[in-house]
């Protein structure tokens, strides 16, 4: 591993300032992805600026909706009782992320900013229609998470910005959600995963939000399947159509973890199982 | 049956507290004054001529103390065929070929220096499968053999063949036949502690090496030969074995990195440490060899086997290590699992540009049992015989001699089969509509040593001190399997002292007696047999001296006892007359006369007797040394004959699984295992061995594969090389030990380090077949393979 400097600013302002002045600097939060990349020499930063000493970044607030500090660890989410009560699908995904040791250091914002197509936290946050707040020295902006990802390792986060918060709308009593993940073993990167949130009224699907992981260049909202389901009654036929459309909509690749065909297949099966689950 | 004091009792391992507390010192923890860090430059071509190596930049880097290549250092040959050298000169034959190495003041500098070494290659066509490499006109991977004689093909010059009975007659007698081709992947041993060593020379040019090895004494021979290659004639190697974080066969050979550390240490005059990072362990250490097995078996109308025909093809990789000798072990189940008299077995090994392979737990047996027990299930179903009944019909029996010449002493296979069938509720129908099924598979393995070298012996020195402690010096390696636990119990039991009075000393070739190595499930069998020999010798010495000294010491005791208990009348017992060496016994560290009244003063503490022996005029201290060589023979593997082991271990494992036919996932609901272990030495340690092996077997069955693309390992990390974790082992394991009390076994015990792995994969595969009617023939059985087989099944049913 190449040598690098390590700085630990105490405020967001200082963190943003440091990044501007030091060439080749990178922010680090949990480091569970970043350190691996540095060790593999995919990244060679001159300086790591840790965000872990900025207390407001790790806070979780319930305020009708929720504000999750980007530095909140996955274990922080799991241990937060109200958050779990309000957004169980978020916790279901959190529990499947890595190992206990990883969950204790990996952060929610880090999982998103790493922009992996398999990011476990992205899926429930996509179906919950979360927004993320991005802060630069000059300005702050809020954007829907669905617009955040731009490709593997790519997002709309610019180099002078820090993701500070993940914002959730108040939970709806009328919705039901589920998270499904397939790994080669239980503790694994997803080879295919799916989050599903639906609002049902009188056997009819009023609203559907679906996101799939590891089946495209980024965590993907399946808008076509959502449109297919919304307004329709849930039957064997519509489930089967959704399964087929989910399979067809995604664009996975073959790599050493799974083939394209298998990823497609699993997303279809999960689409069906997810619907069966939320519709009882 | 004999009543034992310590043997068979649930006992914690003596090494466990230090290991759990982080106090045990592994190679990673060790440092020497002035130590340098070595790093190796590996090839990035699978097959190429080395045109030029430019190490000048690396040499100039601050903190670098030496850069070695084949151009500036002596040639050191390695491998039992001598087809490999520590540093490659003209040609690379696999991605992991060592081109150069650096010694530097810290690991970062060493790594930076290695990156500065530039190598020019002229790429050659690569051969990545044995079929491809066998083709006429294929480029030669080795143009000459170790002696410089030209080679004409890529076949490895090793012969493994067995022929017995009359194959054609066997075929004619067969009413039912099953034929299949089964393959297994390369898998990694995945030791928790990665490979590494520290090499250091003294001023007389003798070498000390701290090595992660399972064969310290054969390694001493190998390294002494290397010293001689380096021009250091008649110099010696001392090997010190630190705590090992797992061996699983990785320590059965000496490695290029060790020779490189030796070369760097000699060049710099300083200790040099090389330790592999996890990705290096995956990519640059030899894994388990892959195999392709064609097997045909036939049986008569009653389900009795009439013949077995086997052709094995192995991808040897670029060089030869112990992976190339797997067929010697494959022959064992091929000839000796179930009774069959007409057998043909032949194995071929081919050089390729893939990574070369070494030993791993089971050593060819899991590979072959995978084929054999899958095929046996198919044959049973073909014949309309229940697979369990089929195995009972063909079951091995005690006192038989197998076609390979194995003299079976005890054999609990039938009991193992019955136990597994009972525990699995074999006859009970599977739940309808659930895609559940049951399967079983059996094994035979060496359980009484394995003579693959001229000597299969194990030495032991026991040294008593003034306090009644026993210091043991043994050549066997504790690598996490629990050898010290059973050796401690064995010594305590055989000698008659408490286990906490027994201390096993660190393994050092300069203090410990010779042992061929800790492999072939032989550790406990050898160590405890040696313990019994040594203890009997020591007891003889102790009792002889007690004849002289017991009366006077007992007299002193009695005087003291009377002072404390006025008016005490000793029973009528003439201890002076009775103090004869053959009358003494030693238990829990006390010497007494058998049949004497149980008076406390008539029992003498061992420490006290030893002090009395030590401190008299012309005193002496007691120690003894033994060399146990088991009654087995070195087989001729080209003829496939020889009683390789003093006794054989048998076992059966069963699985109940549920298959998700939509995702192809296999869920193991439970596993049962029954093993003929001869005699349980330490139940806790034994359970650990079986559970661990079984988990490794599940990895082999369902998850593990060292994937390579054109010879390059593409999943050299635990992110993409998946082993079962606690979440996969989330099912009950019902374990039962069958005690056959083998007459060759120490206290009746057989070796059982490997058996738990051996039949796991076919048991699971047979259960999958039972559940959904498909058979995947290449390991690992992944969900994708299951789905594709289900698809084919559906298509064939129309």
């Amino acid at each position: 591993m190449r040598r690098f400097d390590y700085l630990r600013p105490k405020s967001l302002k200082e963190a943003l300032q440091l990044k501007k002045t030091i060439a080749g600097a990178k922010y680090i939060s949990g480091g569970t992805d970043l350190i691996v990349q540095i060790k593999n020499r995919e990244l060679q930063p001159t300086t790591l600026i840790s965000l872990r000493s900025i207390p407001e970044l790790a806070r979780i607030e319930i305020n009708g909706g929720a504000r999750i500090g980007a530095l909140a660890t996955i274990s922080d989410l799991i241990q937060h009782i109200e958050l779990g009560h309000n957004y169980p699908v978020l916790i279901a995904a959190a529990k499947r992320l890595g190992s206990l040791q990883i969950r204790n250091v990996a952060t929610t914002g880090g999982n998103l900013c790493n922009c992996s197509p398999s990011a476990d936290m992205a899926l429930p946050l996509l179906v919950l229609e979360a927004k993320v707040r991005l802060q630069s020295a000059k300005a702050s902006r809020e954007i829907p998470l669905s617009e955040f990802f731009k490709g593997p390792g790519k997002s709309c986060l610019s180099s002078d910005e820090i993701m500070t918060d993940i914002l959730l709308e108040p939970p709806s009593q009328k919705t039901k959600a589920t998270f499904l993940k397939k790994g080669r073993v239980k503790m694994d990167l997803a080879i295919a995963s799916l989050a599903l949130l639906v609002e049902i009224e009188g056997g009819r699907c009023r609203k559907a939000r679906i996101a799939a992981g590891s089946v495209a260049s980024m965590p993907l909202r399946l808008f076509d399947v959502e449109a297919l389901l919304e307004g329709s009654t849930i039957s064997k036929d519509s489930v089967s159509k959704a399964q087929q459309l989910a399979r067809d909509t995604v664009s996975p690749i073959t790599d050493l973890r799974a083939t394209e065909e298998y990823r497609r297949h699993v997303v279809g099966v999960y689409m069906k199982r997810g619907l069966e689950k939320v519709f009882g | 049956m004999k009543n034992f004091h310590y043997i068979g009792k649930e006992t914690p391992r003596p090494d466990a507290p230090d290991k759990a507390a982080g106090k045990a010192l592994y190679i990673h923890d060790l440092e020497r004054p002035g130590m340098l860090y070595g790093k190796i430059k590996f090839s990035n071509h699978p097959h190429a001529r080395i045109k030029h190596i430019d190490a000048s930049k690396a040499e100039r880097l601050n903190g670098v103390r030496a850069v070695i290549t084949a151009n500036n250092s002596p040639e050191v040959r390695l491998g039992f065929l001598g087809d490999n050298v520590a540093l490659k000169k003209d040609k690379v034959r696999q991605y992991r070929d060592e081109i150069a190495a650096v010694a530097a003041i810290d690991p970062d500098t060493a790594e930076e220096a290695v990156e500065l070494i530039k190598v020019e290659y002229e790429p050659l066509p690569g051969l990545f499968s044995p079929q491809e490499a066998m083709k006429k006109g294929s480029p030669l991977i080795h143009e000459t053999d170790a002696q410089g004689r030209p080679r004409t093909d890529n076949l490895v010059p090793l012969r493994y063949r067995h022929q017995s009975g009359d194959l054609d007659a066997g075929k004619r007698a067969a009413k039912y036949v099953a034929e299949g081709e089964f393959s297994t992947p390369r898998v990694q041993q995945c030791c928790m502690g990665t490979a590494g060593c520290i090499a250091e020379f003294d001023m007389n040019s003798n070498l000390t090496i701290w090595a992660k090895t399972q064969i310290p004494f054969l390694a001493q021979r190998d390294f002494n030969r290397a010293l001689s290659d380096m021009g250091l004639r008649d110099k010696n190697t001392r090997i010190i074995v630190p705590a090992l974080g797992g061996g699983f066969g990785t320590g059965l050979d000496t490695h290029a990195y060790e020779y490189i550390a030796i070369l760097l240490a000699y060049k710099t005059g300083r200790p040099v440490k090389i330790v592999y990072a996890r990705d290096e362990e995956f990519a640059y250490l030899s894994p388990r060899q892959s195999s392709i097995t064609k097997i045909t078996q036939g049986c008569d109308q009653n389900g009795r086997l009439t013949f077995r025909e086997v052709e094995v093809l192995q991808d040897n990789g670029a060089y030869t290590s112990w992976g190339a000798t797997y067929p010697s072990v494959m022959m064992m189940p091929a000839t000796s699992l179930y009774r069959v008299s007409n057998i043909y077995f032949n194995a071929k090994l081919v050089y390729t540009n893939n990574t070369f392979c070494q030993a791993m737990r089971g050593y060819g047996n899991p590979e072959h049992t995978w084929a054999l027990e899958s095929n046996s299930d198919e044959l049973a179903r073909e014949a309309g015989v229940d697979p369990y009944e089929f195995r009972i019909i063909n079951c091995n029996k005690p006192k038989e001699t197998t076609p390979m010449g194995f003299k079976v002493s005890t054999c609990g296979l039938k009991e193992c089969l019955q136990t597994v069938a009972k525990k699995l509720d074999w006859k009970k129908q599977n739940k309808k509509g659930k895609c559940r099924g049951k399967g079983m598979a059996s094994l035979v393995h060496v359980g009484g040593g394995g003579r693959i070298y001229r000597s299969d012996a194990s030495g032991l020195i026991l040294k008593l001190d003034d306090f009644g402690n026993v210091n043991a010096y043994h050549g066997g390696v504790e690598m996490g399997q629990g050898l010290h636990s059973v050796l401690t119990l064995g010594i305590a039991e055989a000698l008659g002292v408490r286990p906490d009075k027994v201390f096993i000393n660190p393994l050092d070739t300069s203090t410990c007696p010779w042992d061929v190595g800790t492999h072939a499930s032989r550790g406990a069998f050898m160590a405890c047999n040696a313990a019994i020999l040594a203890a009997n010798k020591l007891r003889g010495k102790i009792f002889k001296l007690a004849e002289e000294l017991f009366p006077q010491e007992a007299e002193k005791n009695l005087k003291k006892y009377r002072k404390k208990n006025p008016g005490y009348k000793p029973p009528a017992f003439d201890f002076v007359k009775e103090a004869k060496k053959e009358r003494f016994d030693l238990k829990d560290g006390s010497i007494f006369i058998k049949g004497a009244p149980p008076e406390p003063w008539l029992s003498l503490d061992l420490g006290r007797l030893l002090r009395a022996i030590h401190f008299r005029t012309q005193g002496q201290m007691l120690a003894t040394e033994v060399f146990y060589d088991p009654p087995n023979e070195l087989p001729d593997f080209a003829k496939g004959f020889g009683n390789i082991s003093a006794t054989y271990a048998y076992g059966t494992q069963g699985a109940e699984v549920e298959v998700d036919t939509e995702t192809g996932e296999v869920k193991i609901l439970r596993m049962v295992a029954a093993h003929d272990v001869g005699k349980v030495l330490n139940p806790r340690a034994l359970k650990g061995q079986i559970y661990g092996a079984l988990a490794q077997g599940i990895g082999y069955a369902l998850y593990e594969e060292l994937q390579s693309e054109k010879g390059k390992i593409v999943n050299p990390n635990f992110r993409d090389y998946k082993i079962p974790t606690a979440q996969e082992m989330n099912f009950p394991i019902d374990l039962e030990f069958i005690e056959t009390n083998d007459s060759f076994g120490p206290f009746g015990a057989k070796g059982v380090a490997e058996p738990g792995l051996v039949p796991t994969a076919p048991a699971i595969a047979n259960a999958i077949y039972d559940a959904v009617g498909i058979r995947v023939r290449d390991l690992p059985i992944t969900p994708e393979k299951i789905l594709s087989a289900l698809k084919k099944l559906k298509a064939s049913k129309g």
Side-chain angles (χ1 to χ4, degrees), chain B residues 40-47 78 84-86 88 92-99 186 188 254-257 260 276 280-287 316-319 321 353-358 706 711-713:
Chain B
I40 299 167
K41 169 89 176 174
F42 294 96
S43 163
N44 48 5
H45 281 271
H47 197 193
L78 54 145
N84 195 0
V85 288
K88 296 358 176 221
V92 293
R93 298 177 174 86
Q94 54 169 359
Y95 262 100
R96 51 181 275 217
D97 264 348
E98 299 80 2
I99 310 262
R186 276 182 284 270
Q188 226 259 340
T254 48
H255 301 274
Y257 74 80
I260 286 170
Y276 275 175
E280 292 178 307
E281 179 97 351
F282 269 114
Y284 307 138
L285 203 70
S286 291
N316 194 63
Y319 303 101
S321 177
N353 294 113
N354 289 318
T355 183
F356 75 104
C357 300
Q358 63 176 338
L706 201 56
K712 184 174 192 169
I713 306 296

Side-chain angles (χ1 to χ4, degrees), chain A residues 1-3 36 40-41 182 184-189 256-259 262 265 269-270 272-273, chain B residues 106 108 111 115 660 662-665 703 707 714-715 719-720 722-723 725 727-728 783-784 787:
Chain A
M1 190 152 63
R2 283 278 167 83
R3 275 151 212 270
V36 177
N40 290 345
R41 278 170 248 159
K182 173 89 180 86
R184 292 158 294 184
V185 291
K186 278 271 158 54
M187 189 177 81
D188 194 6
L189 302 169
L256 57 95
R257 289 172 202 144
T259 60
Y262 187 64
H265 175 80
V269 171
Y270 279 181
K272 184 185 79 151
R273 288 188 179 177
Chain B
D106 59 54
D108 286 345
E111 188 175 338
E115 283 169 37
D660 183 332
E662 284 187 322
T663 62
E665 276 166 280
Y703 310 114
Q707 291 170 272
V714 290
N715 58 341
R719 185 183 59 204
D720 285 319
K722 287 300 174 192
I723 58 172
T725 70
Q727 296 186 85
E728 279 67 45
E784 298 202 40
L787 283 188

